Amino acid sequence: MTTPTSQSTAVPAGAVRAAIGPGPSSPGKVVAAAFIGTALEWYDFFLFGTTAAIVFAPLFFPSADPVASTVSAFLSFSAAFVARPIGAIIFGHVGDKYGRRGALVATVMLMGAASTLMGLLPTYASAGVVAPILLTLLRAVQGVATGGEWGGATLMAIEYAPAKRRGLYAALVQLGSPVGTLLSTGAITLVALLPKEDFMAWGWRLPFIASIILVAVALWLRWNVEETPEFQELKASDGTKKAPVIELFRKFKGRLAIGVCTYLVGNAGFFILTTFMISYVTRVLGLPSSVILTAMTIGAVAQMVMTIVAGRLADRFGAARVGIIGYSIFLALAFPIFWLVDTRDPGLIIVAMVLAFGPCAITYAIIGALIDRLFPAQVKYTGMGLSANLSAVVAGFMPALATVFLSLSGNASWGPATLLVVIGLISLGGAIATSKVPARGN
């Protein structure tokens, strides 16, 4: 494996660390800043998806055909997935060359600005075609911000964490996803209590405009933490690279491929078990949407609990070992999850979503600590960001691909369940390959 350049400098790493010290920011304060910022990012990111069909479709993409209107809204939704690798490159460059803290301050400001502006946009009725164009552009901006968020937030938590708690700190950042999901769902649920006319006229805007309050909190937290000791050491020893992304593809493209495969379940599997599952339960099984949404809410709580448990297990037994076990559990549960949903029994569907979001959350909880070992410090922000967000581009097509598999299986659930197994096998292979890489990317 390639040896990080910083280790070949004339300045001993230990001497640099002793000179700069750990900085005044406590690990707890840093992980809080990383978690809250990530929760905000996912709140804004999921808020668009929650409102796409019920608000954006009729107000920004009106059509005589409701299906065409909804498809247009979802195409706007997908713009963020295409933009996410761009964000990973931009903010990866900033984070690897100038510092993790500055990049993370910028991502949260960019996401908050885009979401707040969405809440102020004119609709198609008042601005014509300009309205959907602006909405799609702002959605792409959200994607850029999200692309720069996860790698940096996870990296900051890991680089500040005590040596024996890296797995837990990385897992705590991952709590931002279920918390963001619950916040966005709860916000829309509250404003949906308004009369329908008021909700469609102005009520839907409130959760987006409220982003500015969340941004203020996240920005204050991130502004008041110091740069990580690991990056300070890298900077002091003149180990940063002029073009981190070029360095990454020149020396570590194999590790990047491994990282993308390892993260695939966390992205592609998630959208099959959520976006596609909602469509499957309502369209194919003919159940009310409240059944699956309630089950997913309970599943998100299970995910939060398991995330913390898995983080602790990663510290005790190693992220690679726990990850391999987690992906194996995912494979074992792929078919049973759909079998339980096929019963049409609301109680068993809840069990299915608890299994989907609970034990399967093991793979999501440890992914930061697992991918962290793939890349040296000079390209770590870029490498982690691209690993997550290149797999996200693939994930953006998963609901459609799962629908194709469902059609090929004659509307039988073994079709999408088989797709889950394929994804699980790819990620399991990635986790096994990652376990062979020396820890800390050396």
Side-chain angles (χ1 to χ4, degrees):
M1 297 296 176
T2 305
T3 302
T5 305
S6 62
Q7 295 184 352
S8 64
T9 61
V11 182
V16 173
R17 185 177 295 278
I20 62 175
S25 298
S26 68
K29 181 179 179 180
V30 171
V31 79
F35 159 71
I36 292 176
T38 301
L40 164 66
E41 296 271 353
W42 288 120
Y43 165 80
D44 288 334
F45 193 80
F46 292 143
L47 194 59
F48 190 105
T50 306
T51 56
I54 60 176
V55 173
F56 293 144
L59 294 185
F60 287 82
F61 302 94
S63 171
D65 182 359
V67 174
S69 180
T70 302
V71 168
S72 297
F74 280 130
L75 286 175
S76 180
F77 171 77
S78 68
F81 291 92
V82 177
R84 282 175 65 171
I86 298 173
I89 293 172
I90 293 172
F91 291 107
H93 177 86
V94 175
D96 283 328
K97 187 172 177 61
Y98 303 105
R100 313 341 186 170
R101 173 179 169 272
L104 287 173
V105 167
T107 62
V108 77
M109 290 178 65
L110 190 63
M111 176 63 87
S115 298
T116 302
L117 288 173
M118 281 183 181
L120 301 174
L121 282 179
T123 63
Y124 189 92
S126 58
V129 71
V130 173
I133 291 174
L134 290 176
L135 180 68
T136 303
L137 287 175
L138 288 175
R139 180 57 178 170
V141 172
Q142 282 190 326
V144 171
T146 302
E149 169 65 24
W150 177 81
T154 303
L155 187 53
M156 177 168 274
I158 289 174
E159 291 184 346
Y160 255 105
K164 295 183 178 180
R165 303 190 75 185
R166 290 180 181 270
L168 175 61
Y169 276 52
L172 289 174
V173 175
Q174 298 294 69
L175 286 175
S177 177
V179 169
T181 301
L182 292 174
L183 285 174
S184 63
T185 303
I188 292 299
T189 300
L190 283 176
V191 294
L193 295 176
L194 292 167
K196 185 176 181 181
E197 296 77 12
D198 292 337
F199 171 74
M200 295 300 290
W202 54 267
W204 67 270
R205 299 178 182 273
L206 298 180
F208 288 90
I209 297 173
S211 295
I212 197 167
I213 300 173
L214 299 176
V215 165
V217 175
L219 187 59
W220 180 82
L221 283 169
R222 289 189 171 179
W223 192 265
N224 286 283
V225 298
E226 298 295 322
E227 186 54 73
T228 69
E230 188 164 330
F231 183 80
Q232 290 185 55
E233 178 180 323
L234 182 68
K235 192 77 173 177
S237 60
D238 199 28
T240 58
K241 294 296 180 181
K242 183 177 181 181
V245 68
I246 295 176
E247 180 78 2
L248 175 71
F249 280 100
R250 188 167 65 89
K251 293 185 177 180
F252 303 103
K253 54 182 176 290
R255 293 189 184 188
L256 177 60
I258 292 173
V260 172
C261 291
T262 305
Y263 208 114
L264 197 60
V265 158
N267 272 322
F270 175 80
F271 283 103
I272 291 175
L273 292 171
T274 54
T275 304
F276 169 78
M277 189 66 80
I278 292 172
S279 173
Y280 177 71
V281 169
T282 56
R283 184 177 64 84
V284 178
L285 300 185
L287 297 175
S289 60
S290 59
V291 172
I292 187 62
L293 291 176
T294 299
M296 286 182 174
T297 300
I298 296 172
V301 175
Q303 179 185 0
M304 293 168 67
V305 174
M306 184 55 69
T307 295
I308 297 174
V309 172
R312 291 187 176 276
L313 291 174
D315 285 328
R316 183 171 182 178
F317 300 105
R321 184 178 300 176
V322 174
I324 290 171
I325 293 172
Y327 289 117
S328 300
I329 293 174
F330 178 88
L331 286 167
L333 291 176
F335 277 88
I337 286 170
F338 274 96
W339 293 338
L340 289 168
V341 170
D342 284 342
T343 66
R344 292 181 168 85
D345 182 283
L348 293 178
I349 292 176
I350 289 175
V351 173
M353 290 300 99
V354 168
L355 290 176
F357 287 28
C360 290
I362 296 172
T363 63
Y364 189 65
I366 55 83
I367 193 69
L370 190 59
I371 294 181
D372 171 67
R373 67 188 291 135
L374 286 174
F375 308 104
Q378 305 98 312
V379 298
K380 195 182 291 289
Y381 197 132
T382 306
M384 291 181 69
L386 280 175
S387 293
N389 291 293
L390 286 175
S391 71
V393 174
V394 177
F397 296 95
M398 282 301 112
L401 187 58
T403 302
V404 172
F405 272 65
L406 181 67
S407 177
L408 292 174
S409 64
N411 275 356
S413 63
W414 64 262
T418 299
L419 180 58
L420 269 185
V421 169
V422 172
I423 292 169
L425 288 172
I426 292 172
S427 283
L428 177 60
I432 292 172
T434 302
S435 70
K436 307 298 183 183
V437 176
R440 309 298 294 153
N442 296 322

